[in-house]
Amino acid sequence: EENNIRKLNRFGEEFFSSIQSSFMPINIPNLSSNYIIDVGDELSILLTGIKNQEHKLFVQRDGSLIIPEFGKVYVSGNSLEESSALIKNFIETSAVGTSAFITLSAIRDVQIIMLGGVQSPGIYTISGGSNPVFALNAAGGISEKGSFRKIDHRRGGKTLQTIDLYDIFIFGDYNIKHQMRSGDVIFVHPPQIQIPISGGIYNPNIYEMVEGQS
């Protein structure tokens, strides 16, 4: 029986086994309309009508886009959908008869810190559209000294969300609330109570329990 227990794996550890061969992000702006625009993102603006122009513009450090012949419009902190509406309104009210079409042409990279029970703690550069699960994958996944069930996403000294990967593993509940931003920290706590379960069950594994579970 002890030998059988030694052969058991931790439930969920295979989730990160498909780690990519490169830590460098693929900067392809295939994102939803709720992507948050920030410094370093590049927007493409196509003007048609009275003015026929195309501009590719980076979001500046003050959070603005400087649009030639029009001026500044502040977009940082708004979603892609909100930013597009702001730019469109800014241009079309300034130049009647001109229509503006806005797309995201390149996304920024962000630097984050991975700490605690990850395979390779340290500072990582990842795509600005990434979430904490992508960040964990970049760091090689959860180590033997890390918890699958208590992972903090921290920003400015505050915990934005504590992630329980069992919600994904068991229920498919991918409830990740925040994208990664530069300076964010992912901290993987030590494992909670670990219970080997074997015998006449479908998935013999070592399961991690949290306080209050029977």
Side-chain angles (χ1 to χ4, degrees), residues 139-154:
I142 306 295
S143 73
E144 291 182 0
K145 297 180 180 179
S147 170
F148 285 103
R149 308 207 60 184
K150 193 174 182 183
I151 301 160
D152 289 347
H153 178 191
R154 299 174 180 174

PDB file of all heavy atoms in Angstrom, residues 139-154:
ATOM      1  N   ALA A 139       6.281  30.144 -16.126  1.00  0.00           N
ATOM      2  CA  ALA A 139       7.219  29.837 -15.045  1.00  0.00           C
ATOM      3  C   ALA A 139       7.381  28.343 -14.820  1.00  0.00           C
ATOM      4  O   ALA A 139       8.008  27.926 -13.839  1.00  0.00           O
ATOM      5  CB  ALA A 139       6.768  30.517 -13.754  1.00  0.00           C
ATOM      6  N   GLY A 140       6.814  27.522 -15.696  1.00  0.00           N
ATOM      7  CA  GLY A 140       6.981  26.080 -15.602  1.00  0.00           C
ATOM      8  C   GLY A 140       5.917  25.369 -14.791  1.00  0.00           C
ATOM      9  O   GLY A 140       5.980  24.155 -14.616  1.00  0.00           O
ATOM     10  N   GLY A 141       4.937  26.109 -14.289  1.00  0.00           N
ATOM     11  CA  GLY A 141       3.859  25.486 -13.521  1.00  0.00           C
ATOM     12  C   GLY A 141       4.139  25.465 -12.029  1.00  0.00           C
ATOM     13  O   GLY A 141       5.077  26.084 -11.531  1.00  0.00           O
ATOM     14  N   ILE A 142       3.307  24.726 -11.319  1.00  0.00           N
ATOM     15  CA  ILE A 142       3.394  24.638  -9.860  1.00  0.00           C
ATOM     16  C   ILE A 142       4.455  23.611  -9.465  1.00  0.00           C
ATOM     17  O   ILE A 142       4.506  22.514 -10.019  1.00  0.00           O
ATOM     18  CB  ILE A 142       2.031  24.234  -9.264  1.00  0.00           C
ATOM     19  CG1 ILE A 142       0.913  25.175  -9.748  1.00  0.00           C
ATOM     20  CG2 ILE A 142       2.089  24.215  -7.735  1.00  0.00           C
ATOM     21  CD1 ILE A 142       1.040  26.596  -9.291  1.00  0.00           C
ATOM     22  N   SER A 143       5.291  23.958  -8.504  1.00  0.00           N
ATOM     23  CA  SER A 143       6.316  23.032  -8.020  1.00  0.00           C
ATOM     24  C   SER A 143       5.748  22.129  -6.929  1.00  0.00           C
ATOM     25  O   SER A 143       4.601  22.287  -6.490  1.00  0.00           O
ATOM     26  CB  SER A 143       7.513  23.808  -7.475  1.00  0.00           C
ATOM     27  OG  SER A 143       7.188  24.408  -6.227  1.00  0.00           O
ATOM     28  N   GLU A 144       6.573  21.195  -6.455  1.00  0.00           N
ATOM     29  CA  GLU A 144       6.147  20.308  -5.360  1.00  0.00           C
ATOM     30  C   GLU A 144       5.868  21.096  -4.086  1.00  0.00           C
ATOM     31  O   GLU A 144       5.136  20.629  -3.218  1.00  0.00           O
ATOM     32  CB  GLU A 144       7.224  19.260  -5.088  1.00  0.00           C
ATOM     33  CG  GLU A 144       7.394  18.232  -6.195  1.00  0.00           C
ATOM     34  CD  GLU A 144       8.438  17.193  -5.855  1.00  0.00           C
ATOM     35  OE1 GLU A 144       9.030  17.291  -4.743  1.00  0.00           O
ATOM     36  OE2 GLU A 144       8.664  16.284  -6.661  1.00  0.00           O
ATOM     37  N   LYS A 145       6.466  22.263  -3.965  1.00  0.00           N
ATOM     38  CA  LYS A 145       6.298  23.084  -2.763  1.00  0.00           C
ATOM     39  C   LYS A 145       5.188  24.121  -2.927  1.00  0.00           C
ATOM     40  O   LYS A 145       5.050  25.022  -2.094  1.00  0.00           O
ATOM     41  CB  LYS A 145       7.612  23.783  -2.421  1.00  0.00           C
ATOM     42  CG  LYS A 145       8.743  22.826  -2.090  1.00  0.00           C
ATOM     43  CD  LYS A 145      10.027  23.576  -1.768  1.00  0.00           C
ATOM     44  CE  LYS A 145      11.153  22.602  -1.430  1.00  0.00           C
ATOM     45  NZ  LYS A 145      12.426  23.318  -1.124  1.00  0.00           N
ATOM     46  N   GLY A 146       4.407  23.989  -4.007  1.00  0.00           N
ATOM     47  CA  GLY A 146       3.367  24.970  -4.269  1.00  0.00           C
ATOM     48  C   GLY A 146       1.969  24.392  -4.206  1.00  0.00           C
ATOM     49  O   GLY A 146       1.755  23.197  -4.405  1.00  0.00           O
ATOM     50  N   SER A 147       1.010  25.257  -3.960  1.00  0.00           N
ATOM     51  CA  SER A 147      -0.396  24.870  -3.878  1.00  0.00           C
ATOM     52  C   SER A 147      -1.093  25.082  -5.219  1.00  0.00           C
ATOM     53  O   SER A 147      -0.884  26.100  -5.878  1.00  0.00           O
ATOM     54  CB  SER A 147      -1.095  25.703  -2.801  1.00  0.00           C
ATOM     55  OG  SER A 147      -2.503  25.514  -2.849  1.00  0.00           O
ATOM     56  N   PHE A 148      -1.925  24.130  -5.602  1.00  0.00           N
ATOM     57  CA  PHE A 148      -2.794  24.308  -6.754  1.00  0.00           C
ATOM     58  C   PHE A 148      -4.042  25.111  -6.379  1.00  0.00           C
ATOM     59  O   PHE A 148      -4.772  25.550  -7.261  1.00  0.00           O
ATOM     60  CB  PHE A 148      -3.239  22.954  -7.308  1.00  0.00           C
ATOM     61  CG  PHE A 148      -2.172  22.225  -8.087  1.00  0.00           C
ATOM     62  CD1 PHE A 148      -1.478  21.168  -7.518  1.00  0.00           C
ATOM     63  CD2 PHE A 148      -1.861  22.596  -9.382  1.00  0.00           C
ATOM     64  CE1 PHE A 148      -0.502  20.497  -8.225  1.00  0.00           C
ATOM     65  CE2 PHE A 148      -0.888  21.930 -10.100  1.00  0.00           C
ATOM     66  CZ  PHE A 148      -0.193  20.875  -9.524  1.00  0.00           C
ATOM     67  N   ARG A 149      -4.245  25.302  -5.088  1.00  0.00           N
ATOM     68  CA  ARG A 149      -5.529  25.811  -4.632  1.00  0.00           C
ATOM     69  C   ARG A 149      -5.468  27.192  -3.978  1.00  0.00           C
ATOM     70  O   ARG A 149      -6.502  27.752  -3.621  1.00  0.00           O
ATOM     71  CB  ARG A 149      -6.150  24.812  -3.650  1.00  0.00           C
ATOM     72  CG  ARG A 149      -6.192  23.389  -4.212  1.00  0.00           C
ATOM     73  CD  ARG A 149      -7.299  22.584  -3.627  1.00  0.00           C
ATOM     74  NE  ARG A 149      -8.587  23.190  -3.896  1.00  0.00           N
ATOM     75  CZ  ARG A 149      -9.737  22.699  -3.420  1.00  0.00           C
ATOM     76  NH1 ARG A 149      -9.734  21.607  -2.662  1.00  0.00           N
ATOM     77  NH2 ARG A 149     -10.870  23.299  -3.690  1.00  0.00           N
ATOM     78  N   LYS A 150      -4.265  27.744  -3.831  1.00  0.00           N
ATOM     79  CA  LYS A 150      -4.143  29.057  -3.204  1.00  0.00           C
ATOM     80  C   LYS A 150      -3.041  29.847  -3.906  1.00  0.00           C
ATOM     81  O   LYS A 150      -1.875  29.788  -3.537  1.00  0.00           O
ATOM     82  CB  LYS A 150      -3.850  28.937  -1.709  1.00  0.00           C
ATOM     83  CG  LYS A 150      -4.028  30.244  -0.947  1.00  0.00           C
ATOM     84  CD  LYS A 150      -3.869  30.050   0.551  1.00  0.00           C
ATOM     85  CE  LYS A 150      -4.115  31.377   1.279  1.00  0.00           C
ATOM     86  NZ  LYS A 150      -3.898  31.235   2.748  1.00  0.00           N
ATOM     87  N   ILE A 151      -3.445  30.583  -4.947  1.00  0.00           N
ATOM     88  CA  ILE A 151      -2.514  31.336  -5.786  1.00  0.00           C
ATOM     89  C   ILE A 151      -2.990  32.787  -5.809  1.00  0.00           C
ATOM     90  O   ILE A 151      -4.088  33.077  -6.288  1.00  0.00           O
ATOM     91  CB  ILE A 151      -2.473  30.755  -7.213  1.00  0.00           C
ATOM     92  CG1 ILE A 151      -2.048  29.286  -7.168  1.00  0.00           C
ATOM     93  CG2 ILE A 151      -1.561  31.572  -8.101  1.00  0.00           C
ATOM     94  CD1 ILE A 151      -2.416  28.510  -8.405  1.00  0.00           C
ATOM     95  N   ASP A 152      -2.166  33.687  -5.295  1.00  0.00           N
ATOM     96  CA  ASP A 152      -2.553  35.100  -5.214  1.00  0.00           C
ATOM     97  C   ASP A 152      -2.069  35.877  -6.431  1.00  0.00           C
ATOM     98  O   ASP A 152      -0.903  35.755  -6.832  1.00  0.00           O
ATOM     99  CB  ASP A 152      -1.961  35.747  -3.961  1.00  0.00           C
ATOM    100  CG  ASP A 152      -2.619  35.274  -2.684  1.00  0.00           C
ATOM    101  OD1 ASP A 152      -3.690  34.646  -2.769  1.00  0.00           O
ATOM    102  OD2 ASP A 152      -2.053  35.529  -1.597  1.00  0.00           O
ATOM    103  N   HIS A 153      -2.957  36.684  -6.994  1.00  0.00           N
ATOM    104  CA  HIS A 153      -2.596  37.678  -8.009  1.00  0.00           C
ATOM    105  C   HIS A 153      -2.612  39.022  -7.302  1.00  0.00           C
ATOM    106  O   HIS A 153      -3.660  39.508  -6.899  1.00  0.00           O
ATOM    107  CB  HIS A 153      -3.602  37.648  -9.167  1.00  0.00           C
ATOM    108  CG  HIS A 153      -3.323  38.660 -10.225  1.00  0.00           C
ATOM    109  ND1 HIS A 153      -4.224  38.953 -11.233  1.00  0.00           N
ATOM    110  CD2 HIS A 153      -2.240  39.467 -10.461  1.00  0.00           C
ATOM    111  CE1 HIS A 153      -3.706  39.884 -12.024  1.00  0.00           C
ATOM    112  NE2 HIS A 153      -2.527  40.211 -11.576  1.00  0.00           N
ATOM    113  N   ARG A 154      -1.408  39.619  -7.130  1.00  0.00           N
ATOM    114  CA  ARG A 154      -1.267  40.836  -6.343  1.00  0.00           C
ATOM    115  C   ARG A 154      -0.869  42.023  -7.221  1.00  0.00           C
ATOM    116  O   ARG A 154      -0.118  41.882  -8.177  1.00  0.00           O
ATOM    117  CB  ARG A 154      -0.220  40.637  -5.242  1.00  0.00           C
ATOM    118  CG  ARG A 154      -0.573  39.533  -4.261  1.00  0.00           C
ATOM    119  CD  ARG A 154       0.543  39.272  -3.271  1.00  0.00           C
ATOM    120  NE  ARG A 154       0.204  38.210  -2.330  1.00  0.00           N
ATOM    121  CZ  ARG A 154       1.054  37.708  -1.436  1.00  0.00           C
ATOM    122  NH1 ARG A 154       2.289  38.175  -1.370  1.00  0.00           N
ATOM    123  NH2 ARG A 154       0.668  36.737  -0.620  1.00  0.00           N
TER     124      ARG A 154
END
